Amino acid sequence: MALIVQKFGGTSVGDLDKIRNVAERIARTYDQGNDMVVVLSAMSGETDKLLGLAGKITGFPDKREIDVLITTGEQVSISLMVITLQSMGYKACSILGHQAGILTDSSFTRARILDIKATRIKELLAEKTIVIVAGFQGADKKGDITTLGRGGSDTSAVAVAAALKADKCEIFTDVDGIYTADPNICSKASKLDRISYDEMLEMASLGAKVLQIRSVEFAKKYNVPVHVRSSFNEEEGTMVVYEDANMEKVVVSGVTHNKNEARITLSKVPDRPGIAKQILEPIANARIGVDMIIQNTRAGNMTDLTFTVPKPDFEAALEIERKVAEKIGAEEVIGDSNIAKVSVVGVGMRSHSGVASKMFSTLAAENINILMISTSEIRISCVIEEKYTELAVRALHTAFGLDAS
Ligand code: ASP
Ligand code: MG
């Protein structure tokens, strides 16, 4: 007998038939003698629909009210699930985030979990009730309803598993697990059996579609092994766990790509102290996140500074830099949104050398020009022209021996 936390996403509870399927799956695990806590998302499309309604009234709805609004999606799915389980003869009870004791800070629409007082869940478990928890939501210390950011039910599940010291945390989703590359563009990609928390965090662009990144940070902090698996079959998925010695043997675990960035260059900037601050501070003040930054020197005490921003913020960032350029006497502001970032990720990089040169020679062999490079301890990323993304991912996947046989 074990204490199992399961999470089902929106597509898994998208209509009454699917809810019934999930209920049967929950019941099977319960019948094996396990204690069950199940975290649900809203039925697919619900959260977007609710946000759309508010958006029709105003472009800037109050965030506190948005959270009151969008948490109703989960209230619907959990009650329908309990009604289904009860109709099958099971003892089940739905609880909202605040009833589950999920205490967050007050950053509406992107709150962080501070603590979980799982007393109510434990009481229900003690009487062998299946507990169905609303994902994505909590409440701040005033009791106001908060949400954890889009995709936040994953984080709810991991946090509940950590608070209960659950034996298993299973995230059921509409894919089989985490892949070595996006299977949509790399047909030879294969499912990983295991991946470390750090690799998963570095693979954000690949992994984020499957797990909210914050849930991985949470899992790492509280050492919760997370099993990502399909809700439509019984296959084992991918275990997201602490790194072990075996993982280092594999140099590269995955190849990811991200087409969601654009780059901005300020050329012929006078090279003097404070210049990077003058260029990047207004971007930070506009709450635009910068990913890569490169500065190179030119003759005549001049420099070029290039950085990348998320594509949706590109125009705003360009506007800001045109003003900055005038102020600091830069010659030109050049923007380019037809770029992509390809990355190779693997904890094995710590103990193997030559990974970067292999990546560069692989891209060179395909005649792909590298525009920017950045690295971390377990990742190397190159910015290239967007039109070469698929080619680059496939070539790197082959070069690092990841192709499924
Ligand atoms: N329903 C929320 C969303 O769509 C939370 C989740 O699905 O995890 O973002
Ligand atoms: Mg999700």
Side-chain angles (χ1 to χ4, degrees), residues 122-283:
K122 285 178 187 157
E123 281 166 13
L124 288 164
L125 288 175
E127 41 182 73
K128 285 279 160 208
T129 301
I130 301 173
V131 188
I132 310 289
V133 182
F136 183 48
Q137 57 176 264
D140 68 6
K141 62 176 190 298
K142 276 201 220 159
D144 281 345
I145 295 171
T146 55
T147 63
L148 309 176
R150 296 307 303 271
S153 305
D154 297 332
T155 302
S156 309
V158 172
V160 166
L164 295 172
K165 298 194 172 56
D167 299 293
K168 278 189 193 175
C169 178
E170 299 180 304
I171 307 279
F172 289 90
T173 175
D174 49 3
V175 295
D176 295 337
I178 316 291
Y179 276 71
T180 50
D182 182 345
N184 292 321
I185 67 167
C186 182
S187 59
K188 290 173 181 152
S190 56
K191 192 183 74 195
L192 290 157
D193 292 333
R194 295 156 67 76
I195 185 170
S196 75
Y197 297 123
D198 288 329
E199 286 171 322
M200 190 69 193
L201 290 170
E202 289 283 14
M203 285 203 200
S205 65
L206 195 64
K209 289 188 201 119
V210 186
L211 275 185
Q212 194 196 35
I213 285 307
R214 214 179 253 182
S215 74
V216 183
E217 289 166 1
F218 214 99
K220 182 184 172 189
K221 187 164 166 199
Y222 294 97
N223 193 12
V224 181
V226 175
H227 188 180
V228 180
R229 57 193 307 188
S230 168
S231 60
F232 305 119
N233 61 47
E234 303 284 334
E235 303 285 304
E236 297 275 307
T238 303
M239 290 297 303
V240 190
V241 290
Y242 257 115
E243 186 180 328
D244 64 40
N246 266 332
M247 287 180 178
E248 288 232 351
K249 289 186 193 143
V250 184
V251 184
V252 165
S253 317
V255 180
T256 73
H257 68 279
N258 179 358
K259 292 184 179 179
N260 200 31
E261 285 182 23
R263 68 175 179 150
I264 294 176
T265 301
L266 279 81
S267 68
K268 289 203 186 163
V269 179
D271 196 2
R272 55 165 191 261
I275 212 74
K277 169 190 178 305
Q278 275 180 285
I279 293 173
L280 294 166
E281 198 173 58
I283 298 287

Side-chain angles (χ1 to χ4, degrees), residues 20 36 79 83 94 131 153 166 184 193 237 239 246 270 286 291 386:
R20 174 79 193 197
M36 304 282 299
S79 51
I83 293 168
S94 66
V131 188
S153 305
N184 292 321
D193 292 333
M239 290 297 303
N246 266 332
D291 180 21
E386 183 173 355

